[in-house]
């Protein structure tokens, strides 16, 4: 086949266990029906935990990372709350997103049985806000910062020897976009192993602008609830290792990508519906096959309404009580911007692997279109029969993405 | 890299792929270019050996104006201008709008410094005046994807839409990812834009006390699947044959040329690695387009401008004379860069 992107190397690390591969389809078509790439390792750093296990246990226990913001002064802002990663060395330190990213990548690599030498492995990073917090600190004269580190390449090279590294800035769906492109690399046979990662730290500019735009001053996040007040930002990093051959904790079956091309910030129900259906079609499944949705559920007025309506429409053929379970975790993690899609993906992987689903904390009285959805409001829910999960992430500019994750064979 | 697996189109491969070729076997071809720089009106102008008058800023007459333009940051305006030129050049845009379904066109933007002015202005206002000091209109501009979203909205491009902020190699990386999106069939066409704005914020952040010359401008190329080129009955100008990102320039060039393909046009990185120090393994090349000599530091715009220039060279047999029908663009590889990237283009 033809392909312009040169494969990183022909000396990829061997599969740790080639004897029991997960079902894969090496056919060089797009991630169509039957394709399933192994998710061989995961890593997470969020306000509720420092690795995948800690985060997932905390979410199942309904623990929240909510607190008063410490990274910068909020006395002249209306909003005061956020979900910050706890071991922040103090206020105003540059390169925190980079540090968390490296921790998540290291965990995912270790979990997948890779060494920390990633010199032959593409590393794709999705982010909403890059190292813009470091830029802010430099501009305010509070730290020195080299613009070379605005993207994550130099740190990934120093820490992991990685050279085929790519920082994608794509609003709040950035990391699912990155996941899609990683799948495309496998599809085009240009890599056998890809690290997909995401990192975001709260910037004062984004926090302040949301404070300006949101009518209310939320002190908590209430996804899909009638009393939701808006979103609160959170710090986060996530990573996973995607491989051609197993074993894996779960498999990636498809990622659908679409752009509304309607508005720079507002969501569009039609665009979201198109994206979800594209993800199903690419995975060769119908709405009936999905039994878990990791919704984005930011707790904003318009986004939750649009997401709920789109979910209700896409899963309407499943009938009353026939649709998938829906969970949304941002009441516990906050909105981790470009990281949120990959965080949702790792949660889906853990739910499929363990049969447990985190509760949708903060949801008491669902908004109209959400009333037909089956939320996990009590939790953690034990659902060992789960086979197929859908992960949603929607970003500014109508950058919509949805991933389909399947249980490992 | 002794046993490098290379799966690309060998130079000289006949253009296009047979009808009925399944997804994943398409070739990405360049069907349009657009350049918005002081001193350059189109891609061919980039081939001039003398420095362009690219100091200073693009004039307002070349940028979109009117109500829709008012809330846009400078990088977005520069990108919109290059987008219109490239889409029109590719025959995808006319007075009535986009000529193909919007779902078939993706958007890939490369910019490192694009929204730094907004971010810094907002954080300064916040620290001085709190929430009351900032405007809601800045919200979209605080997110680094604003350029690509705004372009998609303006022209109705509904395919995959993403932004590379990947340092010195970012523009070539954008071309590489756009080619992949075409090759895997994710989209039929991709508008690739490289853009950087010059303003006081980025000049101070990039240079500290020392004045730096930064590019103010944009470039765009349209990549399209060979099947679509054939179906639309338009000629393509060039083919994206290879893309790679490696630890250093020598390795990247070696992989992109498959260890010795002849290069007709060499487009070296800007910065420390100059044309006269062509990396080992490049071999003889026919012609040079050294944007490091003719343009200020172009950062994320560089790779796209290089590919636009390479396309103009490849599409003009009069320029090529007897040189090999290949152009190799490279970026990064300097002391502070994390890697080097290279794109090999061939004639269509």
């Amino acid at each position: 086949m033809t392909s312009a992107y040169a494969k990183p190397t022909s000396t990829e690390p061997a599969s740790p266990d080639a004897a029991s591969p997960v079902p894969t389809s090496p056919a060089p078509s797009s991630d169509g029906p039957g394709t399933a790439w192994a998710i061989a390792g995961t890593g997470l750093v969020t306000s509720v935990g420092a690795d995948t296990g800690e985060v997932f246990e905390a979410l199942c226990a309904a623990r929240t990372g909510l607190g008063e913001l410490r990274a910068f002064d909020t006395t002249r802002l209306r909003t005061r709350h956020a979900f910050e990663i706890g071991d922040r060395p103090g206020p105003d330190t540059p390169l925190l997103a980079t540090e968390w990213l490296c921790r998540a990548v290291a965990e995912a690599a270790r979990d997948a049985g890779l060494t920390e030498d990633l010199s032959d492995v593409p590393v794709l990073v999705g982010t909403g806000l890059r190292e813009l917090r470091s830029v802010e600190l430099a501009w305010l004269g509070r730290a020195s910062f080299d613009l070379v580190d605005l993207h994550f390449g130099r740190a990934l090279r120093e820490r992991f020897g990685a050279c085929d590294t790519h920082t994608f800035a794509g609003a709040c769906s950035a990391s699912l976009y990155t996941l899609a492109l990683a799948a495309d690399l496998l599809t085009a046979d240009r890599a056998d192993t890809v690290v997909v990662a995401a990192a975001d730290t709260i910037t004062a500019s984004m926090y302040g602008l949301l404070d300006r735009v949101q009518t209310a001053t939320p002190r908590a996040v209430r996804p899909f609830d009638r009393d939701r007040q808006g979103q609160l930002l959170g710090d986060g990093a996530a990573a996973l290792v995607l491989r051609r051959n197993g074993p894996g904790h779960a498999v990636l079956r498809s990622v659908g990508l679409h752009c509304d091309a309607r508005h720079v910030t507002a969501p569009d129900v039609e665009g979201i519906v198109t994206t979800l259906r594209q993800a199903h079609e690419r995975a060769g499944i119908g709405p009936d096959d999905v039994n878990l949705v990791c919704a984005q559920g930011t707790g904003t007025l318009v986004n939750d309404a649009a997401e709920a309506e789109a979910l209700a429409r896409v899963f309407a053929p499943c009938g009353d009580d026939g649709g998938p379970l829906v969970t949304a975790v941002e009441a516990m993690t906050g909105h981790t911007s470009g990281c949120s899609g990959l965080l949702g993906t790792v949660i889906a992987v853990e739910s499929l692997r363990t049969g447990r689903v985190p509760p949708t904390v903060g949801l008491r009285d669902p908004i109209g279109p959400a009333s037909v959805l089956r939320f996990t409001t009590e939790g953690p829910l034990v659902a060992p029969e789960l086979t197929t999960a859908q992960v949603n992430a929607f970003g500014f500019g109508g950058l919509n993405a949805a991933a389909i994750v399947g249980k490992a064979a | 890299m002794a046993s490098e697996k290379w799966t690309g189109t060998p130079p000289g491969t006949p253009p296009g792929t047979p009808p009925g070729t399944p997804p994943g076997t398409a070739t990405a071809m360049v069907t349009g270019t657009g350049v918005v720089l002081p001193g350059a009106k189109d891609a061919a102008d980039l081939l001039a050996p003398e420095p362009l008058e690219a100091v200073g800023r693009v004039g307002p007459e070349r940028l979109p104006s009117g109500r829709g333009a008012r809330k846009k940051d400078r990088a977005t305006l520069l990108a919109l201008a290059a987008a219109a030129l490239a889409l029109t050049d590719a025959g995808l845009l006319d007075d009535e709008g986009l000529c193909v379904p919007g779902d078939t066109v993706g958007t890939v933007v490369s910019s490192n410094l694009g929204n730094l002015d907004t971010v810094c202005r907002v954080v300064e206002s916040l620290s001085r005046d709190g929430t009351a000091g900032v405007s809601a209109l800045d919200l979209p501009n605080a997110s680094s994807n604003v350029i690509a979203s705004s372009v998609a909205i303006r022209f109705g491009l509904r395919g995959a839409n993403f932004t590379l902020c990947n340092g010195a190699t970012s523009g070539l990386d954008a071309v590489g990812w756009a080619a992949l999106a075409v090759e895997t069939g994710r989209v039929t066409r991709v508008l690739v834009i490289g853009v950087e704005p010059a303003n006081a914020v980025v000049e101070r952040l990039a240079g500290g006390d020392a004045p730096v010359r930064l590019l103010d401008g944009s470039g765009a190329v349209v990549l399209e699947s060979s099947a679509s080129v054939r179906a639309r009955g338009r000629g393509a100008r060039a083919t994206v044959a290879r893309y790679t990102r490696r630890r250093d320039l020598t390795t990247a060039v070696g992989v992109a040329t498959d260890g010795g393909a002849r290069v007709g046009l060499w487009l070296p990185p800007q910065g420390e690695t100059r044309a006269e120090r062509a990396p080992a393994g490049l071999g003889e090349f026919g012609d040079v387009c050294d944007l490091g000599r003719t343009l200020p530091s172009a950062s994320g715009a560089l790779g796209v401008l290089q590919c636009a220039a390479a396309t103009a060279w490849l599409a003009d047999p009069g320029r090529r004379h007897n040189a090999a029908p290949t152009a190799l663009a490279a970026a990064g590889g300097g002391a502070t860069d994390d890697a080097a990237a290279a794109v090999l283009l061939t004639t269509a």
Side-chain angles (χ1 to χ4, degrees):
Chain A
M1 62 173 292
T2 62
S3 182
Y5 188 120
K7 196 167 184 171
T9 179
S10 59
T11 54
E12 287 287 329
S15 287
D17 183 4
S20 58
V22 295
T24 62
S25 166
S29 58
S30 51
D31 46 62
T35 303
W37 310 119
I39 297 173
T42 63
L44 286 181
V45 185
T46 74
S47 58
V48 295
D51 61 38
T52 302
E54 259 187 49
V55 172
F56 191 68
E57 288 309 315
L59 297 178
C60 286
R63 274 207 298 279
T64 172
L66 182 65
E68 293 211 5
L69 187 104
R70 289 171 292 148
F72 43 86
D73 181 21
T74 57
T75 49
R76 312 192 68 183
L77 307 181
R78 303 179 308 143
T79 311
R80 297 282 160 80
H81 290 78
F83 299 75
E84 294 176 287
I85 290 175
D87 62 347
R88 199 179 259 290
D92 293 332
T93 311
L95 294 172
L96 283 175
T98 302
E99 167 61 26
W100 299 325
L101 172 73
C102 288
R103 283 192 219 166
V105 168
E107 184 198 343
R110 200 165 52 240
D111 188 30
L114 302 175
T115 67
E116 287 208 356
D117 175 7
L118 299 177
S119 52
D120 291 329
V121 179
V123 181
L124 279 49
V125 185
T127 177
L129 302 168
R130 306 185 270 164
E131 274 293 351
L132 288 175
R133 179 59 188 150
S134 299
V135 171
E136 293 179 349
L137 293 172
W139 185 252
L140 296 173
R142 295 188 194 152
S144 62
F145 175 69
D146 187 338
L147 284 183
V148 167
D149 293 316
L150 195 48
H151 71 296
F152 302 108
R154 199 154 73 163
L156 290 168
R157 179 159 182 176
E158 282 167 10
R159 175 73 189 269
F160 304 104
C163 300
D164 199 8
T165 59
H166 303 267
T167 299
F168 294 89
C172 308
S173 55
S175 56
L176 281 196
Y177 258 79
T178 312
L179 186 63
L181 296 172
D184 286 356
L185 281 184
L186 295 177
T187 300
D189 192 27
R190 285 214 306 269
D192 296 318
T193 301
V194 184
V195 172
V196 186
D200 262 302
T201 184
I202 301 166
T203 62
S205 53
M206 184 56 78
Y207 191 90
L209 285 166
L210 287 172
D211 187 42
R212 179 76 179 73
V213 170
Q214 297 196 136
T215 315
T217 55
R219 299 169 61 87
V221 176
R222 310 274 307 272
F224 301 107
D225 193 277
R226 286 182 194 278
D227 290 333
R228 68 197 185 286
Q229 304 280 304
Q231 65 172 301
L232 287 171
L233 293 174
D235 296 323
L240 59 79
V241 176
L242 203 61
R243 308 195 80 167
R244 183 173 304 283
N245 297 307
H249 302 316
V251 294
L252 178 69
R253 299 185 60 180
S254 76
V255 188
L257 302 179
H258 184 259
C259 174
D260 298 344
R262 296 224 172 163
H263 193 270
V264 281
T265 55
D268 175 57
V269 176
E270 285 299 328
I272 296 174
V273 167
T274 301
T275 310
L276 303 185
R277 289 189 174 142
Q278 186 197 121
H280 294 175
E281 192 179 315
R282 291 180 77 100
I285 62 171
D288 276 334
D289 296 309
V290 177
N291 36 38
L292 175 66
V293 172
C294 293
Q296 186 158 50
T298 56
T300 55
L301 298 181
V302 291
N303 292 20
D304 281 12
E307 184 175 14
E309 191 180 333
L311 286 172
R313 271 172 57 181
V314 167
F315 292 107
C318 303
D320 294 346
D321 300 325
L325 289 168
V326 182
T327 185
V329 300
E330 293 203 355
M332 297 179 277
T333 63
H335 182 52
T336 55
S337 188
C339 180
S340 60
L342 208 60
L343 170 60
T345 305
V346 175
I347 292 165
V349 168
E350 287 301 284
S351 289
L352 291 166
R353 194 174 66 80
T354 64
R356 293 154 69 217
V357 182
T360 307
V361 171
L363 174 58
R364 287 194 290 262
D365 184 9
I367 51 176
S371 58
V372 300
L373 303 173
R374 290 199 298 139
F375 283 100
T376 57
T377 47
E378 305 294 326
L381 197 93
V382 179
E385 74 283 5
L386 296 178
T387 59
T388 307
Q390 171 190 311
V391 183
N392 295 350
F394 313 114
F396 276 180
L399 303 192
N400 304 318
I404 302 296
V405 182
K407 195 179 173 88
Chain B
M1 297 295 159
S3 57
E4 187 63 46
K5 177 175 177 180
W6 165 241
T7 56
T9 314
T13 297
T17 43
T21 303
T25 57
T27 301
M29 310 185 89
V30 183
T31 54
T33 61
V35 169
V36 179
L37 289 177
K41 65 181 187 317
D42 59 27
D45 285 349
L46 295 170
L47 296 168
E50 297 310 315
L52 298 169
E53 291 170 24
V55 190
R57 289 156 56 100
V58 170
E61 74 285 355
R62 298 180 67 186
L63 300 180
S65 57
R67 207 170 63 86
R70 248 191 347 246
K71 306 166 189 171
K72 307 288 183 213
D73 67 13
R74 183 159 187 87
T76 300
L77 293 176
L78 290 164
L80 286 168
L85 291 174
L87 289 171
T88 304
D89 189 36
L92 296 175
L93 183 72
D94 63 21
D95 292 343
E96 289 169 18
L98 202 63
C99 313
V100 292
D103 287 341
T104 67
V105 190
T107 309
V108 180
V109 166
S110 165
S111 184
N112 289 310
L113 310 173
N115 67 339
L116 265 54
D117 51 343
T118 297
V119 167
C120 292
R121 188 165 39 73
V122 167
V123 79
E124 194 174 307
S125 301
L126 281 169
S127 70
R128 196 177 53 233
D129 305 316
T131 302
V134 300
S135 161
L137 297 179
D138 278 325
L139 181 61
N141 297 339
S143 189
S144 307
N145 71 308
V146 67
I147 303 167
S149 324
S150 300
V151 168
I153 292 166
R154 170 65 185 80
F155 300 106
L157 314 180
R158 299 200 168 80
N161 180 299
F162 53 91
T163 301
L164 264 293
C165 301
N166 209 37
T169 64
S170 198
L172 293 180
D173 300 329
V175 171
W177 286 107
L180 179 68
V182 169
E183 288 158 11
T184 58
R186 205 172 261 286
V187 285
T188 308
R189 315 164 172 98
V190 186
L191 171 64
V192 191
I193 303 170
V195 58
E196 297 292 1
N199 56 57
V201 170
V202 294
E203 278 162 10
R204 190 180 119 192
L205 284 168
D209 296 330
V212 286
R213 286 177 65 220
L214 295 175
L215 183 84
D216 182 67
S218 56
V221 297
V222 173
L223 302 189
E224 189 159 359
S225 78
S226 37
S228 168
V229 170
R230 212 175 25 253
R232 290 206 297 132
R234 285 185 75 91
R237 316 258 175 85
T239 299
V240 181
R242 291 175 198 172
Y243 159 77
T244 190
R245 194 179 202 266
R246 301 294 162 126
R247 64 182 59 255
D248 56 44
L249 194 57
T250 301
T251 311
V253 164
V255 172
T257 58
D258 201 13
R262 284 177 60 218
V263 170
L265 178 69
W266 162 234
L267 302 102
Q270 280 190 315
E272 299 144 81
T273 15
R274 292 306 189 95
E276 53 270 28
R277 290 174 45 222
L282 179 59
E284 284 183 28
F285 50 87
D287 213 345
V288 178
C289 175
D290 183 4
L291 297 183
R293 208 168 79 78
T294 56
L295 294 181
S297 175
S299 192
L302 176 66
V304 182
L305 291 169
Q306 287 174 317
C307 290
T311 299
W313 187 86
L314 288 165
D316 183 353
R319 273 184 204 279
R320 284 192 277 121
H321 299 295
N322 296 320
T326 54
L328 181 70
T336 60
D337 298 326
D338 54 318
V343 166
L344 183 74
L345 297 112
T346 65
T347 45

